[in-house]
Amino acid sequence: MKGATVIEPIDKPLVIGKFRFQNRLFTGTGKYSSLELMRDCMEASACEVTTVAVRRERLVDRSGRSLLDFLDLKKLTILPNTAGCFSAEDAIRHARLGRELLSNLGNPGADWVKLECLGDPRTLLPDPLDTLRATETLVNEGFTVLVYCSDDPVLARRLKKLGAASVMPAGSPIGSGQGILNPNNLKIILEDLKGEDPEYPVIVDAGVGAASDVSVAMELGCDGVLLNTAIASAGDPLRMAHAMRHALAAGRLSYLAGRIPKKLYAQASSPMEGRIAGQGPKL
Amino acid sequence: MIEVWINGETRSFPAPLSVGKMLDELGLPSNRVAVEVDQLLVPRAEHAGRLIAGGEKVEIVTLVGGGSEGGDRD
């Protein structure tokens, strides 16, 4: 057979509220050794969404180099986050400030927020009570709210019910690189949230250490992965950014293709019939 | 002379001024920052009309690198 072309099937877009993306990898903008490297890694990862934090402007000693000069605001949708907030009140203030900043920049990301309400600085685990309170307020204020949360299936259901546009369970603690520690909880979250609403987006946020973690998340049926440290702090960040792009594509294709069930015993892939005469099994 | 707390530091200005004028004085482009006065957001459209009389606590923020763990300042 000659000339046959096998084309990779085109995936449906990821839809979160009014937003639509073809690429399901979301990146962060922190921890890079240079803004140039961040920009190159973003391109290598093929992400369409990147998340940014809101912080005080420097009033003195400003270097004149701004993150904003290294983000392609025409191509990227910026996802403002409330990173570093330890209360619902602080997170709400940060969300409003992020919306204002992105409105002034004319970026579509003004309408959404990655909500983080953290419990303590040592574990950076989310505070479930403040997370719920802030979600409710921000949804009422018209935000498209993507909520960073633990992998607790009950909390995830509560957040969806409150109007979160996407629930973003942590695979493991932020920046820990431990990967997906409890795939069973993620499976339950996916079943609960997507059972009667298959398009509801569940995105793994935090904990990714290596490309295989991204594939695992996607193979479970998650709709996307958000990561930062795994690229920015890798030995060769640019190479890792490429790896993450491939890992996401591989995991997603594998999920859509449908994996074989796991079996206890072997199943030969070559026919047993037609073997030449031999000794056969010893046991 | 008025005194204003901006990002945790005291700043003096010769007379009351608008938020817009304050940003000019600080050399900050208004399209790249967001401003809170006493914990309330002042949208850019209101910068010219919102007067700082002195004694306010002002936060001026921008976007910085950050994923989940908090913002970077390079």
Side-chain angles (χ1 to χ4, degrees):
Chain A
M1 196 164 85
K2 200 184 164 198
T5 314
V6 180
I7 301 169
E8 191 178 308
I10 294 171
D11 199 357
K12 62 185 176 188
L14 168 63
V15 179
I16 306 171
K18 69 164 197 180
F19 298 95
R20 295 167 80 85
F21 306 105
Q22 211 55 48
N23 192 296
R24 292 163 179 270
L25 186 67
F26 291 16
T27 60
T29 51
K31 291 189 169 180
Y32 284 96
S33 57
S34 75
L35 291 167
E36 287 82 359
L37 180 61
M38 178 204 74
R39 180 192 57 207
D40 292 349
C41 285
M42 228 162 259
E43 194 179 328
S45 76
C47 68
E48 294 169 62
V49 177
T50 194
T51 186
V52 297
V54 173
R55 288 294 179 272
R56 280 176 166 172
E57 180 58 277
R58 277 197 185 124
L59 301 180
V60 286
D61 295 333
R62 272 182 294 137
S63 63
R65 279 158 56 94
S66 164
L67 171 76
L68 296 170
D69 296 324
F70 290 83
L71 295 174
D72 187 345
L73 295 172
K74 298 263 182 298
K75 219 166 75 179
L76 290 165
T77 299
I78 309 299
L79 174 59
N81 62 53
T82 66
C85 290
F86 291 93
S87 70
E89 290 70 25
D90 279 356
I92 292 162
R93 278 174 73 194
H94 277 73
R96 290 172 183 155
L97 288 164
R99 175 159 68 181
E100 168 72 4
L101 280 161
L102 286 164
S103 309
N104 292 344
L105 291 167
N107 191 267
D111 293 334
W112 67 352
V113 64
K114 180 164 94 81
L115 173 66
E116 286 181 33
C117 285
L118 305 175
D120 71 83
R122 184 173 58 88
T123 66
L124 297 178
L125 289 172
D127 179 324
L129 302 183
D130 275 38
T131 299
L132 282 168
R133 281 203 297 129
T135 300
E136 191 166 26
T137 302
L138 291 171
V139 167
N140 288 338
E141 290 187 15
F143 282 90
T144 297
V145 188
L146 289 71
V147 191
Y148 167 65
C149 57
S150 63
D151 60 3
D152 175 351
V154 178
L155 179 65
R157 277 157 62 192
R158 290 271 196 170
L159 289 166
K160 186 186 173 192
K161 208 173 165 189
L162 279 176
S166 174
V167 167
M168 304 178 86
S172 54
I174 289 171
S176 72
Q178 295 182 59
I180 311 290
L181 285 183
N182 194 341
N184 290 342
N185 265 22
L186 280 183
K187 279 183 198 170
I188 295 170
I189 289 174
L190 289 164
E191 255 186 53
D192 287 351
L193 271 50
K194 295 165 86 73
E196 292 173 2
D197 184 8
E199 303 305 319
Y200 187 82
V202 175
I203 298 172
V204 164
D205 178 10
V208 166
S212 51
D213 300 329
V214 172
S215 294
V216 167
M218 296 309 290
E219 280 187 323
L220 287 170
C222 294
D223 298 274
V225 175
L226 190 151
L227 58 88
N228 187 160
T229 311
I231 293 178
S233 300
D236 181 344
L238 192 54
R239 201 178 286 261
M240 189 59 90
H242 285 287
M244 294 304 184
R245 183 183 83 246
H246 289 296
L248 187 125
R252 176 70 179 166
L253 282 166
S254 173
Y255 166 71
L256 292 172
R259 61 154 299 141
I260 59 163
K262 291 182 182 178
K263 299 188 188 83
L264 184 58
Y265 294 107
Q267 289 213 321
S269 49
S270 310
M272 297 301 274
E273 286 164 21
R275 288 172 298 157
I276 60 169
Q279 293 182 1
K282 288 193 176 63
L283 294 173
Chain B
M1 185 74 84
I2 62 161
E3 281 200 340
V4 187
W5 282 90
I6 304 177
N7 291 0
E9 297 170 20
T10 318
R11 288 277 170 147
S12 301
F13 297 98
L17 73 176
S18 69
V19 167
K21 181 74 181 154
M22 182 186 67
L23 292 178
D24 287 348
E25 295 277 324
L26 295 168
L28 296 171
S30 68
N31 64 331
R32 288 193 166 202
V33 296
V35 182
E36 257 188 5
V37 176
D38 293 331
Q39 302 207 2
L40 287 177
L41 180 74
V42 180
R44 193 178 173 203
E46 295 169 21
H47 283 186
R50 177 69 165 88
L51 198 71
I52 301 291
E56 291 90 343
K57 286 201 171 79
V58 176
E59 293 284 351
I60 304 174
V61 299
T62 190
L63 296 173
V64 303
S68 293
E69 30 295 76
D72 278 3
R73 307 305 314 238
D74 64 317

